[in-house]
Amino acid sequence: MILVINCGSSSAKYQLFDVKKHMPLARGVVERIGQSASTLRHQAGGDTLHRKVSCKDHHTAINLIVGILTDERYGVISSKDEISGIGHRVVHGGEEFEESTLITEKVIRSIKIFSELDPLHNPPSLSGIMACSKMLEGIPQVAVFDTAFHQTMPPAAFIYGLPFEYYKKYKIRKYGFHGTSHRFVAGEAARLLKRPLNKLKLITCHLGNGCSMAAVDRGKSADTSMGFTPLEGLMMGTRSGDLDPAVVFYLMKKERLTPRRISDILNKESGLLGVSGESNDMRDILKKLRGKGEGAKRAGLAIDIFIYRIKKYIGAYQAVMGGLDAVVFTAGISENNPWLVNRVAKELKGVVRKRTKFMVVPTNEELLIARDTHQIIDRRPQTEDHRPKTS
Ligand code: ADP
């Protein structure tokens, strides 16, 4: 059994996989960690349990997860010894990690260093890893990085037009995110198209709360729309996406904004929410579109910008790869509503090659994390002890 853990700042999601069955036996989430009203939601065998819990930190969350998985009534395993490996989603692997890796003391040190590049996501992942080292001592752990898949980008795609010393000094470059999702759906698309991945030119579009696209040239990421942080690229629920950096200075001066405030505006108050003035959720925007007046107009504009950017990146990535076999859509906005995908496909008819397929492929990052974890612990040397210390 492989336990997949995805720790955010106030949540810990989990899935327990029997890797041979490609299906989770149980899944759930501890939410509002560190707050007064923490909850645990657990699903297994068609039953859902939702209960209030006391959870002050990620250590307690992992304890709760292990407790419910081995619970007599709601659990699916009789003891934690049935867990053979733990896979963690880690957002930032910097330039060091090109693939998933067994977690050692050295890997932990690196994840800590990359926390500076991603102070929001890497620290909770580390807490999850440390908690598992303690609660599930002796079980090997694997880190699966969101940035790893994009490490194949060529320098022309990842170096910004800044003084080169800033790349050398601070590692300022495009990293790209959602890598596990892009890798998973590219593989699935090849399987569905019944063609080898290393012969395909694909564009993958992850359209969820965060949105990003990738040019996947013969199985390798050649470019991606998110950059140094997840702010670059497509317009998203609350993030602006691509923007002239001069707007930032101008706005800071005009509105007397602090760096923290402008960062909040670009990350939390822009995108679909900012343009529509209504909501960051595509469902609400589509509903608003059916109404009348200014609200409907602004909802229409938000959708137009959203789609325009997707089309622009499809054109750019087709040019980058010198061809295009399929455009693969995934995540909440694509998976739950065919309307947007159909509109993009219709508007690009005659622009892309006739044989180019437009397809929706549900993403499953957790399954890929479970598979990577299973493979890595299977081939690790048995004699060496790579486990991180618990203290
Ligand atoms: P995350 O990026 O957090 O994993 P998801 O992939 O679950 O997010 O996508 C969430 C988004 O999917 C929501 O914000 C919403 O905009 C969109 N969504 C969900 N259902 C629909 C639907 N029926 N129609 C359009 N958009 C939807």
Side-chain angles (χ1 to χ4, degrees), residues 204-229:
T204 48
C205 313
H206 179 108
L207 309 178
N209 281 316
C211 302
S212 73
M213 288 173 57
V216 184
D217 194 354
R218 289 160 289 177
K220 295 202 156 73
S221 174
D223 200 354
T224 190
S225 59
M226 283 179 169
F228 178 62
T229 73

PDB file of all heavy atoms in Angstrom, residues 204-229:
ATOM      1  N   THR A 204      -0.610  20.491 -23.183  1.00  0.00           N
ATOM      2  CA  THR A 204      -1.479  20.120 -22.070  1.00  0.00           C
ATOM      3  C   THR A 204      -1.938  21.389 -21.351  1.00  0.00           C
ATOM      4  O   THR A 204      -1.156  22.305 -21.134  1.00  0.00           O
ATOM      5  CB  THR A 204      -0.737  19.180 -21.095  1.00  0.00           C
ATOM      6  OG1 THR A 204       0.543  19.740 -20.818  1.00  0.00           O
ATOM      7  CG2 THR A 204      -0.543  17.801 -21.684  1.00  0.00           C
ATOM      8  N   CYS A 205      -3.246  21.438 -21.036  1.00  0.00           N
ATOM      9  CA  CYS A 205      -3.819  22.637 -20.404  1.00  0.00           C
ATOM     10  C   CYS A 205      -4.449  22.214 -19.084  1.00  0.00           C
ATOM     11  O   CYS A 205      -5.449  21.501 -19.078  1.00  0.00           O
ATOM     12  CB  CYS A 205      -4.915  23.241 -21.279  1.00  0.00           C
ATOM     13  SG  CYS A 205      -4.473  23.402 -23.015  1.00  0.00           S
ATOM     14  N   HIS A 206      -3.845  22.629 -17.972  1.00  0.00           N
ATOM     15  CA  HIS A 206      -4.409  22.348 -16.647  1.00  0.00           C
ATOM     16  C   HIS A 206      -5.222  23.572 -16.239  1.00  0.00           C
ATOM     17  O   HIS A 206      -4.669  24.629 -15.928  1.00  0.00           O
ATOM     18  CB  HIS A 206      -3.270  22.080 -15.653  1.00  0.00           C
ATOM     19  CG  HIS A 206      -3.735  21.795 -14.266  1.00  0.00           C
ATOM     20  ND1 HIS A 206      -3.689  20.550 -13.687  1.00  0.00           N
ATOM     21  CD2 HIS A 206      -4.290  22.606 -13.333  1.00  0.00           C
ATOM     22  CE1 HIS A 206      -4.183  20.604 -12.478  1.00  0.00           C
ATOM     23  NE2 HIS A 206      -4.555  21.849 -12.223  1.00  0.00           N
ATOM     24  N   LEU A 207      -6.546  23.434 -16.282  1.00  0.00           N
ATOM     25  CA  LEU A 207      -7.419  24.581 -15.983  1.00  0.00           C
ATOM     26  C   LEU A 207      -8.237  24.282 -14.728  1.00  0.00           C
ATOM     27  O   LEU A 207      -9.319  23.706 -14.785  1.00  0.00           O
ATOM     28  CB  LEU A 207      -8.348  24.864 -17.178  1.00  0.00           C
ATOM     29  CG  LEU A 207      -7.682  24.993 -18.560  1.00  0.00           C
ATOM     30  CD1 LEU A 207      -8.724  25.223 -19.646  1.00  0.00           C
ATOM     31  CD2 LEU A 207      -6.648  26.106 -18.576  1.00  0.00           C
ATOM     32  N   GLY A 208      -7.675  24.650 -13.587  1.00  0.00           N
ATOM     33  CA  GLY A 208      -8.371  24.474 -12.310  1.00  0.00           C
ATOM     34  C   GLY A 208      -8.440  25.823 -11.621  1.00  0.00           C
ATOM     35  O   GLY A 208      -8.636  26.838 -12.284  1.00  0.00           O
ATOM     36  N   ASN A 209      -8.252  25.843 -10.296  1.00  0.00           N
ATOM     37  CA  ASN A 209      -8.143  27.136  -9.618  1.00  0.00           C
ATOM     38  C   ASN A 209      -6.917  27.870 -10.130  1.00  0.00           C
ATOM     39  O   ASN A 209      -6.964  29.045 -10.445  1.00  0.00           O
ATOM     40  CB  ASN A 209      -8.051  26.928  -8.108  1.00  0.00           C
ATOM     41  CG  ASN A 209      -9.420  26.665  -7.527  1.00  0.00           C
ATOM     42  OD1 ASN A 209     -10.378  27.339  -7.884  1.00  0.00           O
ATOM     43  ND2 ASN A 209      -9.517  25.686  -6.650  1.00  0.00           N
ATOM     44  N   GLY A 210      -5.805  27.134 -10.191  1.00  0.00           N
ATOM     45  CA  GLY A 210      -4.626  27.644 -10.883  1.00  0.00           C
ATOM     46  C   GLY A 210      -4.666  27.083 -12.294  1.00  0.00           C
ATOM     47  O   GLY A 210      -5.193  25.992 -12.505  1.00  0.00           O
ATOM     48  N   CYS A 211      -4.133  27.841 -13.266  1.00  0.00           N
ATOM     49  CA  CYS A 211      -4.168  27.362 -14.659  1.00  0.00           C
ATOM     50  C   CYS A 211      -2.776  27.451 -15.269  1.00  0.00           C
ATOM     51  O   CYS A 211      -2.092  28.461 -15.089  1.00  0.00           O
ATOM     52  CB  CYS A 211      -5.108  28.228 -15.496  1.00  0.00           C
ATOM     53  SG  CYS A 211      -6.792  28.290 -14.878  1.00  0.00           S
ATOM     54  N   SER A 212      -2.378  26.390 -15.967  1.00  0.00           N
ATOM     55  CA  SER A 212      -1.112  26.476 -16.691  1.00  0.00           C
ATOM     56  C   SER A 212      -1.153  25.565 -17.905  1.00  0.00           C
ATOM     57  O   SER A 212      -1.961  24.638 -17.973  1.00  0.00           O
ATOM     58  CB  SER A 212       0.063  26.092 -15.788  1.00  0.00           C
ATOM     59  OG  SER A 212       0.093  24.700 -15.557  1.00  0.00           O
ATOM     60  N   MET A 213      -0.287  25.880 -18.873  1.00  0.00           N
ATOM     61  CA  MET A 213      -0.201  25.060 -20.079  1.00  0.00           C
ATOM     62  C   MET A 213       1.248  24.620 -20.263  1.00  0.00           C
ATOM     63  O   MET A 213       2.159  25.278 -19.784  1.00  0.00           O
ATOM     64  CB  MET A 213      -0.658  25.869 -21.302  1.00  0.00           C
ATOM     65  CG  MET A 213      -2.158  26.078 -21.284  1.00  0.00           C
ATOM     66  SD  MET A 213      -2.764  27.174 -22.564  1.00  0.00           S
ATOM     67  CE  MET A 213      -2.187  26.390 -24.058  1.00  0.00           C
ATOM     68  N   ALA A 214       1.423  23.507 -20.980  1.00  0.00           N
ATOM     69  CA  ALA A 214       2.790  23.038 -21.247  1.00  0.00           C
ATOM     70  C   ALA A 214       2.882  22.516 -22.669  1.00  0.00           C
ATOM     71  O   ALA A 214       1.929  21.934 -23.194  1.00  0.00           O
ATOM     72  CB  ALA A 214       3.187  21.949 -20.259  1.00  0.00           C
ATOM     73  N   ALA A 215       4.031  22.774 -23.305  1.00  0.00           N
ATOM     74  CA  ALA A 215       4.345  22.189 -24.608  1.00  0.00           C
ATOM     75  C   ALA A 215       5.093  20.904 -24.297  1.00  0.00           C
ATOM     76  O   ALA A 215       6.202  20.962 -23.751  1.00  0.00           O
ATOM     77  CB  ALA A 215       5.217  23.133 -25.407  1.00  0.00           C
ATOM     78  N   VAL A 216       4.483  19.764 -24.582  1.00  0.00           N
ATOM     79  CA  VAL A 216       5.125  18.482 -24.257  1.00  0.00           C
ATOM     80  C   VAL A 216       5.588  17.840 -25.567  1.00  0.00           C
ATOM     81  O   VAL A 216       4.813  17.258 -26.316  1.00  0.00           O
ATOM     82  CB  VAL A 216       4.171  17.558 -23.469  1.00  0.00           C
ATOM     83  CG1 VAL A 216       4.888  16.275 -23.045  1.00  0.00           C
ATOM     84  CG2 VAL A 216       3.621  18.277 -22.238  1.00  0.00           C
ATOM     85  N   ASP A 217       6.877  18.005 -25.835  1.00  0.00           N
ATOM     86  CA  ASP A 217       7.457  17.565 -27.095  1.00  0.00           C
ATOM     87  C   ASP A 217       8.090  16.189 -26.905  1.00  0.00           C
ATOM     88  O   ASP A 217       9.093  16.062 -26.203  1.00  0.00           O
ATOM     89  CB  ASP A 217       8.513  18.603 -27.522  1.00  0.00           C
ATOM     90  CG  ASP A 217       8.926  18.428 -28.964  1.00  0.00           C
ATOM     91  OD1 ASP A 217       8.487  17.439 -29.600  1.00  0.00           O
ATOM     92  OD2 ASP A 217       9.694  19.273 -29.462  1.00  0.00           O
ATOM     93  N   ARG A 218       7.507  15.197 -27.482  1.00  0.00           N
ATOM     94  CA  ARG A 218       7.959  13.804 -27.385  1.00  0.00           C
ATOM     95  C   ARG A 218       8.198  13.380 -25.928  1.00  0.00           C
ATOM     96  O   ARG A 218       9.238  12.845 -25.565  1.00  0.00           O
ATOM     97  CB  ARG A 218       9.219  13.594 -28.233  1.00  0.00           C
ATOM     98  CG  ARG A 218       8.905  13.632 -29.727  1.00  0.00           C
ATOM     99  CD  ARG A 218      10.105  13.898 -30.558  1.00  0.00           C
ATOM    100  NE  ARG A 218      10.554  15.273 -30.404  1.00  0.00           N
ATOM    101  CZ  ARG A 218      11.620  15.792 -30.975  1.00  0.00           C
ATOM    102  NH1 ARG A 218      12.355  15.050 -31.742  1.00  0.00           N
ATOM    103  NH2 ARG A 218      11.949  17.044 -30.784  1.00  0.00           N
ATOM    104  N   GLY A 219       7.221  13.739 -25.101  1.00  0.00           N
ATOM    105  CA  GLY A 219       7.249  13.294 -23.697  1.00  0.00           C
ATOM    106  C   GLY A 219       7.967  14.235 -22.746  1.00  0.00           C
ATOM    107  O   GLY A 219       7.948  14.028 -21.542  1.00  0.00           O
ATOM    108  N   LYS A 220       8.625  15.265 -23.295  1.00  0.00           N
ATOM    109  CA  LYS A 220       9.390  16.161 -22.416  1.00  0.00           C
ATOM    110  C   LYS A 220       8.818  17.576 -22.461  1.00  0.00           C
ATOM    111  O   LYS A 220       8.432  18.060 -23.533  1.00  0.00           O
ATOM    112  CB  LYS A 220      10.844  16.200 -22.869  1.00  0.00           C
ATOM    113  CG  LYS A 220      11.526  14.858 -22.708  1.00  0.00           C
ATOM    114  CD  LYS A 220      13.028  15.047 -22.642  1.00  0.00           C
ATOM    115  CE  LYS A 220      13.708  13.919 -21.935  1.00  0.00           C
ATOM    116  NZ  LYS A 220      13.772  12.692 -22.666  1.00  0.00           N
ATOM    117  N   SER A 221       8.814  18.236 -21.300  1.00  0.00           N
ATOM    118  CA  SER A 221       8.308  19.609 -21.266  1.00  0.00           C
ATOM    119  C   SER A 221       9.298  20.529 -21.980  1.00  0.00           C
ATOM    120  O   SER A 221      10.473  20.596 -21.625  1.00  0.00           O
ATOM    121  CB  SER A 221       8.118  20.062 -19.812  1.00  0.00           C
ATOM    122  OG  SER A 221       7.753  21.419 -19.786  1.00  0.00           O
ATOM    123  N   ALA A 222       8.805  21.226 -23.008  1.00  0.00           N
ATOM    124  CA  ALA A 222       9.659  22.131 -23.781  1.00  0.00           C
ATOM    125  C   ALA A 222       9.424  23.579 -23.355  1.00  0.00           C
ATOM    126  O   ALA A 222      10.271  24.443 -23.562  1.00  0.00           O
ATOM    127  CB  ALA A 222       9.372  21.976 -25.273  1.00  0.00           C
ATOM    128  N   ASP A 223       8.270  23.838 -22.779  1.00  0.00           N
ATOM    129  CA  ASP A 223       7.947  25.181 -22.273  1.00  0.00           C
ATOM    130  C   ASP A 223       6.674  25.071 -21.443  1.00  0.00           C
ATOM    131  O   ASP A 223       5.893  24.119 -21.598  1.00  0.00           O
ATOM    132  CB  ASP A 223       7.732  26.171 -23.426  1.00  0.00           C
ATOM    133  CG  ASP A 223       7.887  27.626 -22.972  1.00  0.00           C
ATOM    134  OD1 ASP A 223       8.054  27.870 -21.753  1.00  0.00           O
ATOM    135  OD2 ASP A 223       7.840  28.520 -23.837  1.00  0.00           O
ATOM    136  N   THR A 224       6.478  26.017 -20.579  1.00  0.00           N
ATOM    137  CA  THR A 224       5.253  26.035 -19.774  1.00  0.00           C
ATOM    138  C   THR A 224       4.908  27.471 -19.413  1.00  0.00           C
ATOM    139  O   THR A 224       5.777  28.340 -19.419  1.00  0.00           O
ATOM    140  CB  THR A 224       5.401  25.123 -18.534  1.00  0.00           C
ATOM    141  OG1 THR A 224       4.131  24.975 -17.913  1.00  0.00           O
ATOM    142  CG2 THR A 224       6.388  25.687 -17.514  1.00  0.00           C
ATOM    143  N   SER A 225       3.629  27.706 -19.113  1.00  0.00           N
ATOM    144  CA  SER A 225       3.186  29.099 -18.988  1.00  0.00           C
ATOM    145  C   SER A 225       3.469  29.714 -17.623  1.00  0.00           C
ATOM    146  O   SER A 225       3.672  30.914 -17.512  1.00  0.00           O
ATOM    147  CB  SER A 225       1.695  29.202 -19.319  1.00  0.00           C
ATOM    148  OG  SER A 225       0.942  28.388 -18.450  1.00  0.00           O
ATOM    149  N   MET A 226       3.477  28.907 -16.535  1.00  0.00           N
ATOM    150  CA  MET A 226       3.824  29.482 -15.233  1.00  0.00           C
ATOM    151  C   MET A 226       5.336  29.696 -15.180  1.00  0.00           C
ATOM    152  O   MET A 226       6.078  29.064 -15.932  1.00  0.00           O
ATOM    153  CB  MET A 226       3.371  28.566 -14.097  1.00  0.00           C
ATOM    154  CG  MET A 226       1.875  28.657 -13.825  1.00  0.00           C
ATOM    155  SD  MET A 226       1.391  27.548 -12.498  1.00  0.00           S
ATOM    156  CE  MET A 226      -0.277  28.109 -12.183  1.00  0.00           C
ATOM    157  N   GLY A 227       5.795  30.563 -14.285  1.00  0.00           N
ATOM    158  CA  GLY A 227       7.196  30.946 -14.357  1.00  0.00           C
ATOM    159  C   GLY A 227       7.979  30.747 -13.093  1.00  0.00           C
ATOM    160  O   GLY A 227       8.043  29.639 -12.546  1.00  0.00           O
ATOM    161  N   PHE A 228       8.599  31.823 -12.631  1.00  0.00           N
ATOM    162  CA  PHE A 228       9.367  31.821 -11.374  1.00  0.00           C
ATOM    163  C   PHE A 228       8.426  31.474 -10.226  1.00  0.00           C
ATOM    164  O   PHE A 228       8.801  30.801  -9.275  1.00  0.00           O
ATOM    165  CB  PHE A 228       9.971  33.222 -11.192  1.00  0.00           C
ATOM    166  CG  PHE A 228      10.755  33.397  -9.935  1.00  0.00           C
ATOM    167  CD1 PHE A 228      11.899  32.641  -9.695  1.00  0.00           C
ATOM    168  CD2 PHE A 228      10.383  34.347  -8.993  1.00  0.00           C
ATOM    169  CE1 PHE A 228      12.636  32.811  -8.524  1.00  0.00           C
ATOM    170  CE2 PHE A 228      11.114  34.529  -7.821  1.00  0.00           C
ATOM    171  CZ  PHE A 228      12.242  33.753  -7.594  1.00  0.00           C
ATOM    172  N   THR A 229       7.187  31.954 -10.345  1.00  0.00           N
ATOM    173  CA  THR A 229       6.118  31.595  -9.405  1.00  0.00           C
ATOM    174  C   THR A 229       4.893  31.204 -10.250  1.00  0.00           C
ATOM    175  O   THR A 229       4.892  31.396 -11.466  1.00  0.00           O
ATOM    176  CB  THR A 229       5.733  32.791  -8.497  1.00  0.00           C
ATOM    177  OG1 THR A 229       5.005  33.734  -9.296  1.00  0.00           O
ATOM    178  CG2 THR A 229       6.947  33.460  -7.875  1.00  0.00           C
TER     179      THR A 229
END
